[in-house]
Amino acid sequence: MSDILAVEGLTRNFGGLAAVSNVNLRLGTGELVGLIGPNGAGKTTVFNLLTGVYPPSAGTITFTRQDRGPVSIGGRRPYAICRAGVGRTFQNIRLFKDLTVLDNVVIALQQNRRYPLLSSFLRLPPFAKAEAEIHAESLELLRIMGLDAKAEELARNLPYGDQRHLEIARALATKPTLLLLDEPAAGMNPNETAQLTRLIARLRDEFALTILLIEHDMSLVMKICERIYVLDHGVVIASGTPAEVRANPKVIEAYLGEEA
Amino acid sequence: MPPIVRTLLTRGVPLLALYLVVLGLIGAGIIDAYWMATLALICVNIVLAVSLNLITGFTGQFSLGHAGFMAIGAYATAIISNAVAGPAGFLGGLLAGGVLAALVGFLIGLPTLRLRGDYLAIATLGMAEIIRVVFVNLDSVTNGAAGLTVTQNMDWNWFFVLTVGSVILIRNYLRSRQGRDAIAVREDEIAAESIGVDTTRAKVMSFTIGAFFGGLGGGMYASYFYFIKPDLFGFLKSIDILVIVVLGGLGSLSGSIIAAILLALISTLLQGFTEIRMILYALLLVVIMIFRPEGLMGSRELSLNVFSRLGRRRPALATAQAAPGASEAQGKGDER
Ligand SMILES: Nc1ncnc2c1ncn2[C@@H]1O[C@H](COP(=O)(O)OP(=O)(O)O)[C@@H](O)[C@H]1O
Ligand SMILES: [Mg+2]
């Protein structure tokens, strides 16, 4: 199986703080991998580097799509990285709260359906055709995520769990091959978390995704991830299968240290 | 019913009625020269406010230089319509003014809109001032600070077509993929980038289009009010337009239209009280902003479609009809 993502020597400093230092990651196509670690370990910063929110201080990020070959995405603009095929969600939900549920997905989906400015101004046939397709496809995606009945509601009025689902739907609408989920279960109760766990596994198969998942809470990750990287103070301190990671003394120490 | 027929019936009929009623009132002499000036001012202000709302209310970019675009359009229209007789003169002038304003907007927007934050506000402030000074000093073409007389005027027909046309084009833009990209930028720039929106491009596009219609509005102004001089297009004029936009509601086209009409009417009715006019006007603004800080319309839209209940239910983009209580409760949920 070929690697979809190869990260080498990834480093990011904020002033004197090395939020991420010399991190190496590899994701095989179709894998579901966890990135865990105590609060402040640098997990979200890794995502922000992978998606271009910040440029890396050092290191390389290589993203490979089978149909396009490897590209270096380190330091590129976020929209370009998204268009290359990397989708993401945010730890603190970043929906377009004053727009409808449908429009949240439509804006993501329309990036793959271009029509010229002139047909927007004059409502020419290309506009009508593309808009009909965009809306139909967006509704279909909402249906898959169980949100179609709420399509016309404002995103801000959705219950918390639905907002998390909508953010995943919006990310899927960009047609990613690699999906980065930042604490998707944060704030959910055990029941909702269990449902989400099943949904994530299902989405990977249905959309042929590779998934990198951040979780602060260990249980979800241990259940569905095939491999896990453990980050502490910006450094990868362990990696391997859930069983290996769980038995690793350094990991236990890092987590105990946090609780102490 | 095919969509186009429905649109013509629901939107076209009320608009046509408005056009004909005003035409009748002009013919009957009820709308005299004095009120016609108010009407022209309303049209100009609608075009200016709607185009600034596109930039500030819908795309979320704070611009303080709309009077600069207006000046470009006004001078282009004045100069060209003085040289070329007939509608070709002022229409050519309007087009040239709009295109020139758009070009200047593009050149200002491209470097400043890359940056996050309020660089645009400062850049546009400077731009408008530079434009004003250039027109003062370009004596041979603009007659400098003394100003320029415009020999041709547009009548109600043209004002109606240009105003309604501008609003429809901007509305269509906002309800297209390009417009939704712009609204996404306003909502959350980081989220927009993360789903593939080229935010710089979206901002520059909205700003350039807004500048075009700002120029058009300036041209309309010149072609009605006979006389223009650089001082008409100073910083205070930019603020005037911003006041209309904020008063009507950032992100509401119908709000801008209502506010433009309201402010022009108030301003006209207060003509009698010359000394205290500006005080009353300012007081009124303060009162409205205290009671409706989100503007008259918030970001809601009022539809011309009087039969909307029969049509499809499709809430417009950016309609914040959320119950305040519900959104507060949700706000707490976000903290989790
Ligand atoms: N934009 C930033 N500026 C300064 N410091 C930051 C920034 N982003 C993250 N950090 C710091 O980097 C460290 C890692 O943060 P983060 O990646 O959010 O951790 P995690 O997601 O693992 O909880 C923290 O100490 C945080 O304060
Ligand atoms: Mg985090």
Side-chain angles (χ1 to χ4, degrees):
Chain A
M1 205 184 286
S2 61
D3 284 345
I4 186 170
L5 186 75
V7 174
E8 264 153 40
L10 191 63
T11 300
R12 172 72 205 198
N13 306 313
F14 290 115
L17 173 83
V20 170
S21 63
N22 201 23
V23 163
N24 300 318
L25 301 172
R26 278 183 181 277
L27 296 189
T29 306
E31 267 193 307
L32 207 170
V33 176
L35 179 61
I36 66 170
N39 255 329
K43 306 180 295 293
T44 297
T45 304
V46 168
F47 271 22
N48 285 340
L49 295 172
L50 293 179
T51 56
V53 176
Y54 313 124
S57 303
T60 60
I61 305 167
T62 311
F63 176 68
T64 307
R65 258 176 95 139
Q66 270 135 351
D67 51 340
R68 293 184 202 166
V71 284
S72 167
I73 58 171
R76 291 183 63 189
R77 290 265 309 268
Y79 82 87
I81 294 176
C82 171
R83 289 181 189 179
V86 183
R88 77 170 288 182
T89 65
F90 294 89
Q91 182 175 346
N92 23 30
I93 307 176
R94 279 183 173 270
L95 288 171
F96 306 129
K97 291 191 168 178
D98 287 326
L99 307 188
T100 64
V101 168
L102 181 62
D103 279 329
N104 267 272
V105 174
V106 159
I107 292 169
L109 204 125
Q110 70 188 8
Q111 305 305 324
N112 297 311
R113 274 283 197 302
R114 322 218 128 232
Y115 51 82
L117 186 59
L118 191 69
S119 51
S120 298
F121 275 126
L122 302 177
R123 298 255 153 133
L124 300 176
F127 166 87
K129 183 168 176 291
E131 284 292 307
E133 286 171 8
I134 288 168
H135 280 82
E137 224 180 300
S138 300
L139 273 172
E140 173 60 17
L141 203 53
L142 285 178
R143 200 188 54 72
I144 292 173
M145 299 298 291
L147 289 167
D148 48 334
K150 300 180 173 174
E152 299 296 344
E153 279 184 38
L154 294 185
R156 69 159 64 252
N157 293 341
L158 289 187
Y160 184 77
D162 282 350
Q163 293 198 10
R164 287 251 174 237
H165 281 99
L166 177 56
E167 217 191 18
I168 296 176
R170 188 179 67 178
L172 289 174
T174 67
K175 309 223 159 78
T177 55
L178 172 63
L179 182 62
L180 311 177
L181 301 173
D182 196 343
E183 305 208 17
M188 288 187 173
N189 64 37
N191 191 18
E192 288 171 322
T193 305
Q195 260 180 318
L196 181 77
T197 311
R198 284 194 295 276
L199 178 70
I200 291 171
R202 204 187 98 205
L203 291 178
R204 172 178 59 162
D205 300 337
E206 261 177 48
F207 290 87
L209 296 168
T210 305
I211 296 179
L212 179 62
L213 180 106
I214 291 181
E215 259 309 324
H216 178 63
D217 171 77
M218 291 261 233
S219 62
L220 182 149
V221 185
M222 292 294 169
K223 208 171 289 167
I224 57 168
C225 292
E226 286 137 13
R227 283 192 306 122
I228 291 173
Y229 287 95
V230 188
L231 209 59
D232 189 24
H233 292 104
V235 181
V236 175
I237 57 166
S239 67
T241 65
E244 286 166 358
V245 163
R246 205 191 330 240
N248 190 315
K250 280 196 213 158
V251 178
I252 296 165
E253 193 188 329
Y255 270 82
L256 282 181
E258 192 200 21
E259 272 151 39
Chain B
M1 215 184 336
I4 181 82
V5 176
R6 185 170 49 211
T7 307
L8 279 177
L9 276 179
T10 57
R11 264 82 171 184
V13 168
L15 278 174
L16 190 67
L18 175 71
Y19 166 76
L20 290 175
V21 166
V22 172
L23 197 65
L25 291 174
I26 294 171
I30 297 170
I31 294 184
D32 54 10
Y34 181 72
W35 280 103
M36 188 57 216
T38 302
L39 193 61
L41 192 65
I42 287 174
C43 289
V44 169
N45 282 347
I46 287 175
V47 173
L48 293 172
V50 160
S51 56
L52 181 62
N53 207 341
L54 165 63
I55 297 169
T56 301
F58 288 92
T59 315
Q61 306 306 306
F62 198 48
S63 168
L64 285 175
H66 221 52
F69 300 132
M70 196 187 168
I72 294 174
Y75 273 95
T77 303
I79 292 163
I80 294 176
S81 71
N82 282 352
V84 183
F90 59 78
L91 287 183
L94 285 168
L95 190 67
V99 170
L100 260 172
L103 190 70
V104 171
F106 179 79
L107 292 176
I108 298 285
L110 203 58
T112 47
L113 288 166
R114 287 178 183 286
L115 312 165
R116 291 222 176 98
D118 290 329
Y119 296 93
L120 185 71
I122 295 159
T124 47
L125 194 68
M127 170 207 75
E129 194 51 25
I130 292 169
I131 290 171
R132 196 183 64 78
V133 171
V134 165
F135 284 143
V136 169
N137 289 293
L138 222 61
D139 261 352
S140 56
V141 203
T142 65
N143 199 27
L148 205 58
T149 305
V150 186
T151 51
Q152 287 195 73
N153 312 129
M154 294 193 302
D155 58 12
W156 164 242
N157 299 328
W158 284 112
F159 267 97
F160 179 80
V161 168
L162 289 168
T163 307
V164 171
S166 300
V167 173
I168 290 176
L169 289 176
I170 289 175
R171 171 193 168 279
N172 284 354
Y173 170 77
L174 286 168
R175 298 190 185 176
S176 70
R177 74 168 184 82
Q178 292 90 355
R180 283 189 303 252
D181 277 358
I183 292 169
V185 169
R186 175 197 70 191
E187 288 286 305
D188 188 329
E189 208 167 328
I190 291 177
E193 280 265 339
S194 85
I195 56 168
V197 177
D198 182 345
T199 54
T200 304
R201 186 188 153 93
K203 286 187 277 186
V204 171
M205 195 184 277
S206 277
F207 188 63
T208 305
I209 292 167
F212 175 89
F213 286 101
L216 192 78
M220 289 165 66
Y221 179 92
S223 86
Y224 192 81
F225 292 95
Y226 302 94
F227 176 73
I228 55 171
K229 56 179 181 173
D231 280 356
L232 290 172
F233 309 107
F235 177 62
L236 284 179
K237 188 71 205 172
S238 293
I239 296 298
D240 272 352
I241 304 166
L242 191 63
V243 164
I244 300 174
V245 172
V246 174
L247 187 72
L250 288 162
S252 169
L253 291 183
S254 33
S256 287
I257 295 169
I258 291 169
I261 295 170
L262 202 67
L263 288 184
L265 288 181
I266 290 170
S267 174
T268 305
L269 292 173
L270 289 178
Q271 293 287 357
F273 312 85
T274 331
E275 313 83 44
I276 54 166
R277 182 170 145 248
M278 282 325 285
I279 297 175
L280 284 178
Y281 187 83
L283 211 63
L284 196 93
L285 290 180
V286 171
V287 169
I288 294 178
M289 289 329 282
I290 286 173
F291 287 101
R292 288 201 69 86
E294 76 279 28
L296 293 172
M297 294 294 290
S299 59
R300 276 162 304 195
E301 294 291 359
L302 199 73
S303 178
L304 246 191
N305 183 353
V306 286
F307 314 108
S308 56
R309 244 160 275 216
L310 301 174
R312 279 177 308 169
R313 205 182 67 85
R314 166 92 179 88
L317 255 167
T319 45
Q321 70 268 80
S327 62
E328 265 166 40
Q330 200 46 48
K332 289 193 197 97
D334 296 340
E335 304 299 327
R336 289 199 277 177

